[in-house]
Amino acid sequence: TPYSGLDQGFEFFFEQNFPGGPLGSLLDAARDFLAADDGRPVFLFVHTYRVHSPYRPDVDERKQRYVELYREASARGFLGPKVAQMPPEITAEMRGLYDQGASELDAEFGPWFEELERSGRLARGLFVFTSDHGEAFHEHGRFLHGDAPHEEVARIPLFLVGAGVEPGDVTFGASLVDLYPTLMVRAGLAPPAGLAGTDLFTLAGERMLFSHTRMRGTHHLGIIEGSRKLLATRPGEDVSLPRDVLAVYDLTRDPLERAGVGADQAVD
């Protein structure tokens, strides 16, 4: 939203009622925008809260069941410090609503994307599909997102389709900071020096990757190097304060982060 400064740099900014109205009307607005193309180069960013809380498992955006479950969990004291004690039946139903919302997103997005393909735009442009974060359903005693960036929160989809893109998988770790230089190069522009990201089409090996969240005055850090991942916290805003290592994981042998070693066993 403009309130968050997301409208900086855009010539045109359209916002539905926060945190997002029906996906169909948003895709219609994107369709109308592209239909008005006058031949100039265009950058279009379409953002939806369709799979964000409050979970809406149907195209009509009804969120009543999510609200009921959330109120029940709150009334029974299972939010805040006791969120890890939330009954599994509430967690399972929440996850079910989330999965249904993702399915409905796919059902509405699919036909829109097929129209985009038929228009020929992808033959001369680049399409990116990604997210800003995932969602936790007590895999590590957490609910929603915002605390330690475990894989269920930090590992997100990233698909690139378009001109000059051969089908295949990039097996090296990627990050959202890579999108800026990747899009710059595809547009024939030189990325500024000193960027943290890398053009994904030239990525030749693993690099150290970082994730970060801040909740209730505490910074949560995630550092990945190869298959090894470290999670740590730091209280307050003072970068000179020491970090408390929570755990270190081997993501090759333990992709769900179930058997991390503690700080006393962490090396380097």
Side-chain angles (χ1 to χ4, degrees), residues 140 142 147-155 229 231 249 257:
H140 295 91
R142 306 293 185 185
D147 290 300
H150 284 283
E151 291 296 274
E152 59 269 16
V153 172
R155 186 171 292 272
K229 178 176 180 179
L231 291 179
Y249 299 94
E257 299 171 313

Side-chain angles (χ1 to χ4, degrees), residues 69-244:
L69 288 170
Y70 195 90
R71 286 175 176 171
E72 178 183 350
S74 178
R76 295 169 62 181
F78 293 125
L79 297 180
K82 294 186 177 180
V83 69
Q85 303 173 25
M86 188 179 293
E89 61 271 18
I90 294 182
T91 302
E93 189 168 355
M94 282 285 197
R95 180 191 289 274
L97 294 176
Y98 180 81
D99 290 344
Q100 291 176 56
S103 179
E104 290 292 349
L105 168 65
D106 184 63
E108 291 202 70
F109 169 76
W112 184 88
F113 182 73
E114 290 174 356
E115 289 182 27
L116 193 65
E117 286 185 303
R118 289 194 298 268
S119 72
R121 290 182 178 277
L122 299 186
R124 58 185 188 276
L126 184 68
F127 179 87
V128 179
F129 181 97
T130 190
S131 178
D132 55 344
H133 60 76
E135 202 80 317
F137 294 97
H138 294 152
E139 291 87 347
H140 295 91
R142 306 293 185 185
F143 186 55
L144 303 179
H145 53 271
D147 290 300
H150 284 283
E151 291 296 274
E152 59 269 16
V153 172
R155 186 171 292 272
I156 56 175
L158 176 60
F159 302 101
L160 292 90
V161 182
V165 180
E166 296 294 332
D169 294 333
V170 175
T171 58
F172 304 123
S175 173
L176 289 178
V177 296
D178 297 322
L179 287 180
Y180 180 30
T182 300
L183 293 174
M184 289 279 287
V185 172
R186 298 286 81 69
L189 303 172
L195 289 181
T198 302
D199 176 10
L200 292 173
F201 290 97
T202 64
L203 195 60
E206 293 286 2
R207 319 146 287 166
M208 191 173 290
L209 299 175
F210 303 90
S211 53
H212 166 259
T213 59
R214 182 177 62 182
M215 283 289 286
R216 295 179 290 274
T218 297
H219 291 262
H220 300 268
L221 310 173
I223 304 173
I224 295 179
E225 186 174 23
S227 64
R228 191 169 62 165
K229 178 176 180 179
L230 178 145
L231 291 179
T233 61
R234 188 187 74 221
E237 303 295 330
D238 188 348
V239 296
S240 66
L241 291 175
R243 297 173 175 82
D244 295 324

